[in-house]
Amino acid sequence: MNEDSAAAAPKVRVLVIDDSNTIRRSAEIFLKQGGYEVFLAEDGFDALSKVNDHSPALIFCDILMPRLDGYQTCAIIKRNARFADVPVIMLSSKDGLFDKARGRMVGSQDYLTKPFTKDQLLDAVRQYIGAVAEAH
């Protein structure tokens, strides 16, 4: 995508929830290069207020976080009727079957293993934002 088409398209809001500053910053850089508006949260509690304030079109959520883990955070977001349809993609350094299944049980749409590449992150956004745009 060239810069003109990215600038012309309305900014899609993406929230990245991760307790690792490195992961948050890499995701922010990759997503901004993809032309998305990015919001960052360092844990589940921080994320809940940002979801409410910014109404993101897509959420990336780390699983292992202090205070409120990714499963709990995803479940709370999905219980809110306003955000039930927002795709949530779980982030984890573990690529386990159990983690993927548990993520689906709380309502996540997909699972991305860390460390992710710019292409993996942007492909995930395109896959789910396209689905969101077509559904509305």
Side-chain angles (χ1 to χ4, degrees):
M1 179 191 299
N2 65 30
E3 295 206 313
D4 292 340
S5 61
K11 291 269 190 184
V12 171
R13 295 176 174 185
V14 178
L15 175 64
V16 178
I17 312 163
D18 201 299
D19 59 330
S20 160
N21 190 44
T22 307
I23 295 290
R24 283 196 313 272
R25 294 293 164 217
S26 332
E28 180 181 33
I29 290 164
F30 294 160
L31 290 164
K32 284 187 171 175
Q33 287 172 345
Y36 300 102
E37 187 174 358
V38 184
F39 299 96
L40 303 173
E42 59 190 46
D43 65 33
F45 286 111
D46 186 23
L48 296 175
S49 65
K50 294 208 167 134
V51 166
N52 206 37
D53 293 347
H54 303 294
S55 299
L58 179 75
I59 300 167
F60 286 100
C61 185
D62 184 24
I63 292 175
L64 296 174
M65 297 184 291
R67 302 200 303 160
L68 200 61
D69 74 19
Y71 299 123
Q72 294 164 316
T73 303
C74 180
I76 292 167
I77 292 167
K78 291 297 187 172
R79 267 188 244 130
N80 183 323
R82 234 177 99 199
F83 305 113
D85 293 334
V86 175
V88 176
I89 298 174
M90 304 306 276
L91 299 174
S92 179
S93 47
K94 298 187 297 183
D95 191 16
L97 206 57
F98 174 77
D99 293 316
K100 291 180 182 179
R102 190 164 171 211
R104 292 237 192 276
M105 285 169 57
V106 294
S108 74
Q109 270 63 36
D110 210 341
Y111 189 98
L112 205 55
T113 304
K114 299 188 284 190
F116 45 77
T117 65
K118 176 181 173 181
D119 288 341
Q120 287 171 318
L121 195 68
L122 294 178
D123 285 348
V125 176
R126 281 191 286 269
Q127 182 180 349
Y128 289 99
I129 296 302
V132 168
E134 289 162 19
H136 285 59

